[in-house]
Amino acid sequence: MTVLLAMENITKHRQDDASKILFERITAEIAAGQHVALLGGSGQGKSTLLRIIARLERCDAGEIALHSKPIAAWKPQDWRRKVCYVAQQAVMLPGTVEQNLRTASELHGLPFHEALAKRCMEAVGLGAVDWQKPAADLSGGEKQRTALVRAMLLSPDVLLLDEVTASLDPGSKRLVERCLSEWAAQEEKALIWVTHDLEQAKQVSDTVWFMAEGKLLEHCETAVFFDCPSTDQARRYLQQSRKEEESV
């Protein structure tokens, strides 16, 4: 497979105490069509790592390259069109639903594919939403799905998903998972999902990156990680996560 994005020795210090490491020497790569579940306990820096990959935060050491071209050699706007981040809390821009869907394309000088937008909105369960409705009046789940479609319309090579289904009901969650999986497979897009949902991780990924103790401790096939994790930290994480899911 063709490597799209590569990270080498990415290090980040804690914002509240620059003398302490949040994570260090993260080295990994993702290929076209690869779907990664980024797992680990709270506070490991998973969201921060996504934001660094998206060029929304800076790392303190290390290198990132896209298509073998270092991040510093890319214009920020070009990078963010190729590597797109969708946050857990969706941000709607002022204006209507349609204006939100059009904005990303317009900012990057790309044509707006209305037919594709309609298909994507339908696929995530928003086919009946009035496009002239103020985006601010959408529910939280509707905003999240609209933001996701907005990102997909850019056709990024790498889509970074930060707990994007955490606020969705089970039905909407399944629609989003199916839509993203089908879109990524058809277009050979790479996905990196941050999720605390183990069942979701199994379903949407072929690879797991597991972070603990400030390091990327495991980087392996999804089935291997869940059936036979190689570190004590991963085994404890899976045991604790399963107990928490069973108690809900």
Side-chain angles (χ1 to χ4, degrees):
M1 293 189 293
T2 302
V3 174
L4 289 179
L5 185 139
M7 299 181 289
E8 185 174 358
N9 293 325
I10 300 300
T11 296
K12 182 70 174 177
H13 294 87
R14 292 188 175 277
Q15 290 187 343
D16 57 351
D17 187 346
S19 67
K20 294 182 179 179
I21 296 290
L22 178 60
F23 52 74
E24 62 181 342
R25 298 180 182 178
I26 302 291
T27 296
E29 60 186 32
I30 187 166
Q34 189 174 7
H35 302 171
V36 174
L38 177 54
L39 305 180
S42 298
Q44 292 300 318
K46 302 183 296 298
S47 295
T48 299
L49 180 60
L50 285 195
R51 290 180 59 81
I52 289 171
I53 296 171
R55 203 167 177 170
L56 298 174
E57 290 192 33
R58 292 179 179 273
C59 60
D60 294 312
E63 299 291 338
I64 305 177
L66 180 67
H67 297 297
S68 301
K69 182 178 175 180
I71 191 171
W74 287 83
K75 294 180 179 178
Q77 183 177 4
D78 293 340
W79 181 278
R80 291 177 187 137
R81 181 168 64 85
K82 296 287 188 180
V83 182
C84 197
Y85 172 77
V86 183
Q88 181 176 356
Q89 299 296 326
V91 176
M92 291 290 99
L93 302 170
T96 65
V97 171
E98 181 175 359
Q99 288 171 324
N100 267 265
L101 293 173
R102 287 180 174 274
T103 295
S105 301
E106 292 173 351
L107 283 174
H108 291 280
L110 300 173
F112 176 66
H113 297 294
E114 184 173 344
L116 176 59
K118 288 181 177 179
R119 289 199 300 273
C120 290
M121 291 290 277
E122 181 74 34
V124 298
L126 297 179
V129 168
D130 180 1
W131 282 26
Q132 299 312 309
K133 181 178 183 177
D137 292 345
L138 296 174
S139 70
E142 289 171 338
K143 289 177 181 177
Q144 187 64 59
R145 285 174 283 166
T146 300
L148 182 60
V149 171
R150 186 173 61 193
M152 292 170 64
L153 292 175
L154 287 176
S155 192
D157 292 337
V158 184
L159 187 57
L160 308 172
L161 305 163
D162 194 355
E163 293 278 7
V164 295
T165 64
S167 64
L168 302 183
D169 61 81
S172 297
K173 175 182 167 184
R174 286 191 293 270
L175 287 175
V176 166
E177 290 171 351
R178 184 182 307 119
C179 176
L180 282 169
S181 295
E182 291 177 355
W183 170 79
Q186 291 170 0
E187 304 293 331
E188 288 198 310
K189 303 299 187 182
L191 304 177
I192 305 179
W193 293 71
V194 169
T195 179
H196 288 285
D197 185 332
L198 297 186
E199 287 305 311
Q200 180 177 70
K202 290 179 184 179
Q203 293 170 12
V204 302
S205 71
D206 51 58
T207 303
V208 166
W209 296 350
F210 173 70
M211 293 177 68
E213 299 179 0
K215 295 180 173 59
L216 184 63
L217 292 185
E218 303 215 19
H219 180 178
C220 60
E221 293 181 4
T222 299
V224 172
F225 178 80
F226 282 100
D227 292 342
C228 189
S230 62
T231 61
D232 290 338
Q233 293 90 333
R235 285 189 284 273
R236 288 195 297 268
Y237 167 78
L238 289 174
Q239 290 171 357
Q240 182 61 34
S241 296
R242 285 165 179 155
K243 286 181 182 178
E244 291 174 356
E245 290 181 352
E246 289 171 358
S247 66
V248 175

